[in-house]
Amino acid sequence: MRWSRNSSDAASAASSGRLPSLVWLIPLAAALICAALAYQSVSRRGPAITIRFLNAEGLEAGKAAVKYRDVEIGTVEAITLASDRSHVVAEVRLTEDARRFAVKGTRFWVVRPRVDAGGISGLGTVLSGAYIGVDAGHSRETETHFTGLETPSAVRRDDDGARYVLHGDSLGSVDIGSPVYYRRVQVGRVSGVMLDKNGTGVSLDVFVDQQYQQYVGTNTRWWQASGLDLRLDANGLTLNTQSLAAVMLGGIAFQTPPGESIGTAAPDGAAFPLAQDEAAAMRHADGPAAPVVMKFTQSLRGLTVGAPVDFRGIQLGEVTRIGVEFDPKTREFTLPVALNLYPERLGRRYLESVQHSDTNAGKALLLKLVASGLRGQLRTGNLLTNQLYIALDMFPKAPPARVDLNVQPIELPTVPNTLEELQVQIADIAKKLDQVPFEQLGHNLNEALQNADRLLRQLDTQLTPQARDTLASAEKTFSAANAVLQQDSPMQADMHEALTQLTQTLRSLNALADYLEQHPESLVWGKAKSGQ
């Protein structure tokens, strides 16, 4: 029994000695698992980057994600305000798989509900909250500090297509994200807008999808498709527009002129001029412009920069500047108007005659045309708006004028328009009328009327009674004559009988005359007896 008790005590002691070692293994295993998870988490963390934004609207630290094509590749860990309070800095931790996004050229922007030229975007963030969108760069040089875009990128670097640069005078209603049309089919979008360095125009970056890139060639013409193109011509009223989106938000359109080929394919990055409308884009190439000045003396109200200059309905140029000059010698004002004329619009034969002649042929032709009456004249182009344009035409009866070809720009002579001539004539008539002594004429006329009144009164008092007696005598005479001339009066019967006798006498005289003509000897011997 003692042996068995000792044996059980030993077994109990042995078991009590192993129990503490098993208890301590559990926390040790848990610590090892946590360390493994922490190592795995740390090893999977990507690089830390900072992104600079003007404001942090919609972003929340610890919740806002960084997404590329709706796949989460990082998290916003903190948002701080810059020391100068001009911007905010978002501290972002990317995942290990997104390490390749931390390179130069990568672009970031905040995705939030937005209405712009591209339409309505970011509606999904109303419930999920704003996040940071990414467009991956292609550089291999790492970068950790970025400046975010204020508007989303309209074109991603991974999109397939070609980019072109358009140069125009103004932006119009076009903006980043505006559509690009080819034959009223949307084939691309505007990806960037920039003001030229010299400030004389704008440059637009447009992107055309790869499947439509084949329609862009060296002969392609580009124009702004914003707004409505309303025309009233011989064909009636015509309304042209690309789409409702283009009318509301603006857009760009391109096409090749009718009858021309597209030409060789335009390379990526090719530059094109941007016209204000389709008519200007499809107009035949004008060649170099010839600057000209015309000086007017009448009012230029209604004439604006860009107003057409035409020759018998053919537009040869446009107005580029309107000014005013004062001549101290004559103390008169003149209104110089600068024009750009395009001689190539005068036709193929004109160009051939100039090109096949000597270099002074164009100047000699200009002098000849001016000597024949070539002049500029202001005319009304629209009676409703009173808009003016400049017409070049031949005026054979215009006063002689000289042109100095050694002065640039050349000054072409002008003539007043018909309305101005009419106004001058009316002014001359008014001036002559002012010289007429209407007051003296009125005084003389008043005296003449008074004299006539006195004369009439004298006639009424002195001559009227005598005139009445004379009229009464004349009336009696006319009554007597009427009585004599009546058909049943005795006078009429006596006159009828006398006329009858007179007729018989005339017949006897005619017979006697005939007999004497045949027998003149009867005047001496008498009438021969019958039978002798």
Side-chain angles (χ1 to χ4, degrees):
M1 294 292 295
R2 182 179 298 176
W3 179 81
S4 60
R5 183 181 300 169
N6 292 337
S7 298
S8 64
D9 292 341
S12 176
S15 62
S16 62
R18 288 193 301 270
L19 184 60
S21 62
L22 293 175
V23 171
W24 286 104
L25 286 176
I26 294 174
L28 180 60
L32 292 174
I33 292 173
C34 290
L37 292 176
Y39 174 78
Q40 184 178 5
S41 176
V42 171
S43 62
R44 289 178 58 86
R45 294 181 66 184
I49 62 173
T50 60
I51 308 173
R52 173 179 173 176
F53 295 104
L54 290 180
N55 60 75
E57 179 185 358
L59 295 179
E60 187 176 354
K63 292 184 179 181
V66 180
K67 295 182 179 181
Y68 177 75
R69 298 186 183 274
D70 289 335
V71 176
E72 186 173 340
I73 60 173
T75 306
V76 178
E77 293 183 340
I79 301 175
T80 59
L81 183 66
S83 58
D84 59 356
R85 300 186 299 276
S86 62
H87 62 277
V88 298
V89 178
E91 300 178 5
V92 176
R93 175 70 66 174
L94 299 178
T95 63
E96 178 63 20
D97 296 338
R99 183 178 294 273
R100 61 183 180 275
F101 288 92
V103 296
K104 286 189 175 182
T106 300
R107 298 179 293 183
F108 298 89
W109 63 89
V110 179
V111 179
R112 59 173 69 96
R114 189 185 308 271
V115 179
D116 52 20
I120 302 176
S121 61
L123 291 179
T125 61
V126 174
L127 299 178
S128 63
Y131 62 89
I132 296 179
V134 185
D135 183 20
H138 295 162
S139 176
R140 294 185 179 181
E141 186 177 354
T142 60
E143 182 68 45
T144 58
H145 300 283
F146 299 89
T147 299
L149 304 176
E150 294 306 313
T151 58
S153 176
V155 179
R156 299 179 182 271
R157 289 188 171 89
D158 295 336
D159 292 342
D160 295 329
R163 293 169 173 82
Y164 306 100
V165 180
L166 308 179
H167 298 283
D169 295 332
S170 64
L171 184 62
S173 58
V174 178
D175 199 358
I176 296 177
S178 295
V180 176
Y181 296 97
Y182 176 74
R183 299 185 182 275
R184 291 182 171 82
V185 176
Q186 184 174 349
V187 298
R189 51 206 170 274
V190 178
S191 59
V193 175
M194 180 175 58
L195 185 66
D196 292 344
K197 293 182 179 180
N198 55 10
T200 58
V202 295
S203 296
L204 287 76
D205 294 330
V206 297
F207 178 83
V208 177
D209 296 330
Q210 184 179 18
Q211 57 180 331
Y212 304 109
Q213 186 179 347
Q214 57 182 322
Y215 302 116
V216 182
T218 54
N219 295 332
T220 299
R221 309 286 179 86
W222 300 75
W223 67 90
Q224 292 191 8
S226 309
L228 301 175
D229 183 10
L230 184 63
R231 297 181 183 179
L232 180 61
D233 51 20
N235 295 323
L237 188 64
T238 305
L239 177 63
N240 293 323
T241 183
Q242 295 295 328
S243 66
L244 182 60
V247 174
M248 301 297 295
L249 305 175
I252 301 293
F254 69 90
Q255 197 172 324
T256 304
E260 294 186 15
S261 62
I262 296 177
T264 58
D268 190 9
F272 296 91
L274 179 64
Q276 292 293 327
D277 51 39
E278 184 178 0
M282 293 301 175
R283 188 180 296 125
H284 183 70
D286 297 326
V292 174
V293 172
M294 294 184 183
K295 293 185 178 180
F296 299 92
T297 56
Q298 63 265 39
S299 173
L300 298 182
R301 184 176 182 84
L303 185 68
T304 59
V305 174
V309 180
D310 74 12
F311 177 77
R312 298 180 179 178
I314 304 299
Q315 184 172 343
L316 295 182
E318 63 273 347
V319 176
T320 58
R321 184 175 56 84
I322 301 174
V324 59
E325 292 180 354
F326 177 72
D327 189 348
K329 296 181 179 180
T330 61
R331 297 183 178 274
E332 294 181 351
F333 287 94
T334 58
L335 305 173
V337 179
L339 318 171
N340 273 345
L341 300 182
Y342 300 93
E344 292 190 5
R345 296 183 184 178
L346 292 176
R348 178 177 55 85
R349 292 192 174 182
Y350 167 79
L351 296 178
E352 291 177 352
S353 63
V354 174
Q355 293 173 357
H356 294 168
S357 305
D358 58 303
T359 56
N360 296 324
K363 296 181 179 180
L365 179 59
L366 178 60
L367 292 176
K368 185 177 180 180
L369 291 176
V370 171
S372 300
L374 180 65
R375 301 289 188 274
Q377 186 184 59
L378 288 174
R379 294 180 182 175
T380 302
N382 192 312
L383 296 177
L384 297 178
T385 62
N386 199 29
Q387 293 295 310
L388 300 179
Y389 70 97
I390 296 180
L392 275 176
D393 211 333
M394 306 301 295
F395 298 88
K397 298 182 179 180
R402 297 182 60 184
V403 178
D404 189 355
L405 300 179
N406 297 322
V407 178
Q408 294 295 331
I410 297 175
E411 180 183 345
L412 291 181
T414 62
V415 294
N417 58 20
T418 306
L419 181 59
E420 290 291 333
E421 292 179 349
L422 181 60
Q423 290 177 347
V424 172
Q425 293 176 0
I426 293 176
D428 292 340
I429 294 174
K431 186 176 181 180
K432 293 179 180 178
L433 290 176
D434 289 338
Q435 298 175 356
V436 176
F438 287 104
E439 184 176 358
Q440 184 65 29
L441 292 176
H443 180 70
N444 296 337
L445 179 60
N446 190 25
E447 290 183 354
L449 291 176
Q450 291 177 359
N451 294 332
D453 183 62
R454 287 195 296 269
L455 179 60
L456 290 175
R457 290 179 180 178
Q458 184 178 2
L459 290 174
D460 184 58
T461 56
Q462 298 179 5
L463 300 179
T464 300
Q466 298 179 3
R468 290 178 180 175
D469 295 339
T470 304
L471 290 174
S473 300
E475 183 178 0
K476 293 179 180 180
T477 303
F478 290 146
S479 298
N482 186 26
V484 171
L485 295 176
Q486 288 181 355
Q487 292 183 358
D488 55 351
S489 64
M491 185 71 175
Q492 284 279 9
D494 294 341
M495 289 182 64
H496 181 71
E497 184 179 356
L499 289 175
T500 302
Q501 294 177 359
L502 180 60
T503 301
Q504 293 176 356
T505 303
L506 289 175
R507 287 177 182 175
S508 299
L509 289 175
N510 287 333
L512 177 60
D514 292 339
Y515 179 81
L516 292 176
E517 183 178 1
Q518 295 176 2
H519 304 279
E521 69 280 3
S522 61
L523 291 175
V524 180
W525 306 107
K527 183 177 179 182
K529 293 182 180 181
S530 177
Q532 290 184 356

